[in-house]
Amino acid sequence: MPTEPWGEPTSRPTGAGRPSGAPADRSGRRHRAGARRHRAGIVPPVILGLAGPAPGQPGSRPGLRRARVSPGLLDPAMADPTDDEELAGTRDEADETRRRAVRRHRLTLAGLGLTAMLAAIMLVVTLINWAPPATREMTTAERDRLAAMRVTNHRDLRAGLRVTVGNGTARIDLLGWVDWARQLVYLDVTGPGAGELRGLAQATPTVLMLRPDPAAMPSPAMPPLVPPADGWRLPADRRLNPVLNLVFALASDRPDPVDGLSGRWLGRDRINGEAVDILSGTARPVGDEATRYWLAADGRLHRLEARLPEVGPVHVQLNRADRPTLRPVDALGGRVGLPRALTAVERNRWRALSTRLRAAGGATVTVTAPAAAGTNLHGTGWLSWTSATAYLGVTDLDADRRTLLRRDRSGLARIEQPSAGGSAEPPPLPPPPTGWRTGPHRTEALAPLLDTALRAARGSGPSGSVRRIRGDNLAGSVVDVLEVETGRVRVRYWVERTGLLRRLELPTRGGAWAQLDLTPGRVPRLTAPASRR
């Protein structure tokens, strides 16, 4: 059957509605349009159209139809002469379409830029005209929660503590813990305004003990959980007292009265991921409406801002998750125990104490006495139960002054010596025969301690009701800490299991505890001075 090149048969078998020999549809318009698209790069040079006899017609082959390609697409010479004009028109239309797209893109970018500029202007206007949310009076539930805040603190026992006192170069930073149950604060004191207070501090509601450390790091750091055993003093600087009073007053075993409690709700905040209400009111301990409390829904205080007279602004932040058990230093009474009556073995050991001391004859002693604010005495020497005499070299750590001190049956006498650079060296032997003075002196604070130690070897021993406070360890020896109530003062005896006295403790006028540590054994001859003037 004759065919055209790459075309269809010139005639088709007679079929439904088509006479034999009828030519296939080869519209010139279709060929010219295909040529234009080909030259314009719109369609590929070969069109894989499927054509041929319809399925079921004679000459058809299943799945295959011969390609029908316009001659004008393959040979431009076979195209219609008017194709170039039509192609030029098509290109103009395409260029106009592109120009319109570019214009639309530019208009879109300009619109977006204008929108961003208007949004920025509106943001600036909003920030300029912004005002904080309106405050309101506290609700009844908020007043009840604020009134119960101190009871909640007392129930929680302990918390981590961070306090900032003052501003600028006068700022003092306090970092540590508070134990409301045992009434103890343990802090690291730093900041540009700390001065002589820089170092470690432990305090009760009545006594502040400081361990100065001028070389401490300027940035706040948590103090060591086990405090150092030595170096604690009663400071003369009282600037921290109002702040510590505030911290202790944040806890109470009973709620504050709601009647008369006024204040306002100032807003909400989040501290350590927990939602809190910011309240201002006249709640204790400050009682000033300017004081702000960051209080959680469960009544736990997380932050407090106040202004104290003669102190300035104070910021207190509590860490409710940081709650270690604190150990007071010896100057504050030492570790807390469980007081109880003496067992039979302990009572027999106590009754034999005076006999054991007389048999020992004497002891080498070391005394540490925070006597008063700015008066901290430290000394070494000997004590003789045989001659009822004590002889020590004592240094005032604050004044850096050294004193030879002698206590015997005639009373207390002293000799002033040049400064020893703060060291506590034993006194010279033999004791000086002359130059002794009597009368009021700062070393008189040691007289009760020395007298109690000397009397312990007399007769049947100390009198008064006695109880065991706790067990402890001193210089590698296990001891029982026994407390004797004499009606006027409490005295603590650290008695070794062998029956010997290893430490004696008495409270001082400054509220701290003074210690006299004893190492029983032979002592040098402590001859009495020839004269006193």
Side-chain angles (χ1 to χ4, degrees), residues 251-330:
S252 175
D253 59 356
R254 62 189 63 187
D256 298 328
V258 179
D259 297 339
L261 178 61
S262 62
R264 300 188 65 80
W265 178 88
L266 303 180
R268 290 188 174 90
D269 200 353
R270 296 190 72 84
I271 297 180
N272 296 328
E274 186 171 358
V276 295
D277 291 306
I278 307 174
L279 308 176
S280 68
T282 57
R284 297 177 184 178
V286 182
D288 184 0
E289 289 189 357
T291 303
R292 296 186 175 189
Y293 305 86
W294 276 253
L295 210 60
D298 57 5
R300 286 181 168 86
L301 179 68
H302 288 264
R303 184 184 297 170
L304 178 144
E305 293 183 359
R307 179 173 288 274
L308 300 180
E310 302 180 2
V311 174
V314 177
H315 301 264
V316 179
Q317 188 158 340
L318 301 174
N319 184 352
R320 295 293 183 171
D322 191 7
R323 307 172 64 250
T325 300
L326 304 184
R327 175 170 180 170
V329 295
D330 291 338

Side-chain angles (χ1 to χ4, degrees), residues 18 25 40 64 80 112 130 135 147 155 170 226 266 271 281 318 326 380 385 433 445 447 449 451 478 525 530:
R18 170 172 291 180
D25 184 7
L64 175 64
D80 194 289
L112 292 175
W130 179 84
T135 64
R155 184 187 64 219
V226 178
L266 303 180
I271 297 180
L318 301 174
L326 304 184
T380 61
W385 287 296
L449 197 62
D451 289 346
V478 178
R525 182 178 179 84

Side-chain angles (χ1 to χ4, degrees), residues 118-138:
L118 291 176
I121 294 173
M122 293 299 297
L123 177 61
V124 172
V125 172
T126 302
L127 292 176
I128 293 175
N129 297 324
W130 179 84
T135 64
R136 57 169 172 78
E137 293 290 333
M138 285 191 296

Side-chain angles (χ1 to χ4, degrees), residues 142-487:
E142 290 165 348
R143 282 197 299 270
D144 292 341
R145 199 191 329 161
L146 186 58
M149 172 196 68
R150 299 203 299 157
V151 173
T152 304
N153 290 337
H154 186 269
R155 184 187 64 219
D156 280 1
L157 305 180
R158 299 177 296 274
L161 184 65
R162 188 184 189 102
V163 183
T164 302
V165 183
N167 292 315
T169 57
R171 189 187 80 247
I172 301 176
D173 297 318
L174 310 176
L175 190 63
W177 302 277
V178 56
D179 188 329
W180 287 300
R182 294 178 176 175
Q183 294 287 277
L184 180 67
V185 166
Y186 181 27
L187 302 167
D188 176 74
V189 184
T190 58
E196 294 181 353
L197 295 173
R198 187 182 304 277
L200 299 178
Q202 278 204 1
T204 68
T206 57
V207 182
L208 168 63
M209 296 300 301
L210 182 72
R211 190 177 190 269
D213 186 4
M217 296 180 60
S219 58
M222 295 299 286
L225 193 56
V226 178
D230 57 358
W232 295 91
R233 308 181 187 181
L234 281 170
D237 193 331
R238 303 294 186 90
R239 287 180 295 163
L240 292 183
N241 286 11
V243 180
L244 297 174
N245 292 339
L246 170 64
V247 172
F248 284 118
L250 290 176
S252 175
D253 59 356
R254 62 189 63 187
D256 298 328
V258 179
D259 297 339
L261 178 61
S262 62
R264 300 188 65 80
W265 178 88
L266 303 180
R268 290 188 174 90
D269 200 353
R270 296 190 72 84
I271 297 180
N272 296 328
E274 186 171 358
V276 295
D277 291 306
I278 307 174
L279 308 176
S280 68
T282 57
R284 297 177 184 178
V286 182
D288 184 0
E289 289 189 357
T291 303
R292 296 186 175 189
Y293 305 86
W294 276 253
L295 210 60
D298 57 5
R300 286 181 168 86
L301 179 68
H302 288 264
R303 184 184 297 170
L304 178 144
E305 293 183 359
R307 179 173 288 274
L308 300 180
E310 302 180 2
V311 174
V314 177
H315 301 264
V316 179
Q317 188 158 340
L318 301 174
N319 184 352
R320 295 293 183 171
D322 191 7
R323 307 172 64 250
T325 300
L326 304 184
R327 175 170 180 170
V329 295
D330 291 338
L332 295 178
R335 183 170 54 85
V336 178
L338 297 174
R340 60 168 174 79
L342 271 61
T343 64
V345 174
E346 292 166 348
R347 186 166 296 279
N348 291 335
R349 190 185 302 146
W350 171 249
R351 289 172 178 171
L353 178 63
S354 59
T355 303
R356 295 300 306 272
L357 296 180
R358 289 194 297 268
T364 301
V365 297
T366 301
V367 63
T368 303
T375 302
N376 296 273
L377 306 177
H378 184 65
T380 61
W382 302 274
L383 179 147
S384 173
W385 287 296
T386 302
S387 62
T389 304
Y391 177 44
L392 298 88
V394 180
T395 300
D396 187 340
L397 300 178
D398 295 279
D400 194 18
R401 291 174 292 187
R402 179 175 169 83
T403 304
L404 300 183
L405 189 66
R406 179 183 173 89
R407 182 70 171 180
D408 57 16
R409 292 184 175 89
S410 60
L412 193 68
R414 69 183 185 276
I415 295 179
E416 297 287 344
Q417 286 194 327
S419 171
S423 62
E425 298 179 355
L429 290 172
T434 60
W436 296 91
R437 298 287 187 267
T438 60
H441 193 260
R442 61 184 177 276
T443 55
E444 286 185 318
L446 300 180
L449 197 62
L450 297 175
D451 289 346
T452 303
L454 293 172
R455 284 198 304 265
R458 297 177 187 171
S460 59
S463 61
S465 60
V466 59
R467 60 176 182 169
R468 183 183 185 273
I469 299 299
R470 67 176 185 271
D472 215 314
N473 188 286
L474 182 64
S477 298
V478 178
V479 297
D480 294 310
V481 182
L482 309 180
E483 186 174 88
V484 177
E485 291 279 356
T486 63

Side-chain angles (χ1 to χ4, degrees), residues 32 34-41 72 76 79-80 83-84 87 91:
R32 288 193 297 273
R36 286 195 302 270
R37 288 192 294 270
H38 167 51
R39 288 194 296 270
D80 194 289
D83 287 350
D84 291 339
L87 179 60
R91 288 177 175 172

